[in-house]
Amino acid sequence: MSDRADVFETLYRSNLDPWDYETSGYEQDKYRMTLAALPRERYRSVVEIGCSIAVLGEKLAGRADRYLGLDVSPTAVEAASERLAGLPWATVVTGEVPDDWPDGSYDLVVLSEILYFLSAPEIADLAALVARDTAPGGDCMVVNWHGETDTALTGEEAGSLFLSELGRHRTVRPKHDYQHPCYRLSVVRLD
């Protein structure tokens, strides 16, 4: 387990909902905006990286034929799996991107508030994987916190770097860009 994975596992063991995903007004508003920003009502195959306890994942799975969530914390994955147990098309696995990127073909990739936890080289590697595995005409959603972080990159820096790297591999067409005082939500289509 990496140092980053160990930090998140310790966090989830001490508090199963460390960012109050289930009760926070901020999070609920962000989920509404996230779902409203999706260019399609339904997706064939969705992957959400950093799915946590699948509060957003449950909503995404409701709009997907197949949902795959990935999180670095086994404790979060267990809770997410329990939340999604009634949805047989939804799966959650433990892993850390970019090393454990789940190969497949996706028409929606969701990266919500996770990029700034990665290094610049990891972001570049992740962008290459997303470009490789997003179906033609598929969408990629990037959400990044604007506030202070204790990471090497800010949310804005990480998001900009990811989209720039993604554009090195595929033609990227902006579909939605929303600036909230606390976060930025961008959706791009990959041709």
Side-chain angles (χ1 to χ4, degrees):
M1 185 177 277
S2 72
D3 289 344
R4 178 172 46 223
D6 189 48
V7 166
F8 279 99
E9 179 60 10
T10 300
L11 181 68
Y12 278 102
R13 282 187 182 173
S14 67
N15 179 357
L16 195 53
D17 189 3
W19 288 279
D20 299 321
Y21 292 130
E22 295 179 314
T23 59
S24 162
Y26 163 81
E27 294 294 342
Q28 297 308 309
D29 179 64
K30 187 175 68 175
Y31 298 153
R32 278 191 297 279
M33 295 304 296
T34 297
L35 296 172
L38 292 175
R40 294 183 234 171
E41 198 54 42
R42 188 130 192 105
Y43 287 89
R44 179 186 49 78
S45 182
V46 174
V47 63
E48 180 187 12
I49 305 300
C51 69
S52 183
I53 59 173
V55 176
L56 175 60
E58 184 175 30
K59 297 170 188 341
L60 292 169
R63 292 178 60 172
D65 296 334
R66 184 173 69 94
Y67 168 87
L68 175 60
L70 181 130
D71 199 275
V72 71
S73 163
T75 298
V77 166
E78 182 179 334
S81 296
E82 288 174 15
R83 179 183 301 278
L84 301 175
L87 307 175
W89 63 92
T91 305
V92 185
V93 296
T94 303
E96 186 172 4
V97 293
D99 292 343
D100 299 318
W101 171 259
D103 292 339
S105 178
Y106 307 103
D107 59 351
L108 177 62
V109 176
V110 178
L111 304 163
S112 184
E113 295 199 37
I114 65 116
L115 290 172
Y116 50 87
F117 291 108
L118 304 177
S119 68
E122 288 173 321
I123 290 172
D125 290 347
L126 178 60
L129 293 166
V130 170
R132 183 193 73 194
D133 289 350
T134 301
D139 299 319
C140 180
M141 173 174 281
V142 176
V143 183
N144 280 301
W145 167 253
H146 279 312
E148 293 292 321
T149 67
D150 59 358
T151 57
L153 297 171
T154 67
E156 189 63 31
E157 291 167 339
S160 294
L161 176 60
F162 175 81
L163 292 173
S164 174
E165 289 291 328
L166 193 60
R168 292 182 62 232
H169 300 281
R170 295 275 294 273
T171 301
V172 175
R173 300 192 190 287
K175 298 303 285 181
H176 187 86
D177 192 47
Y178 172 70
Q179 291 276 359
H180 181 276
C182 297
Y183 63 88
R184 180 176 186 170
L185 187 155
S186 301
V187 180
V188 297
R189 177 146 302 152
L190 281 69
D191 291 336

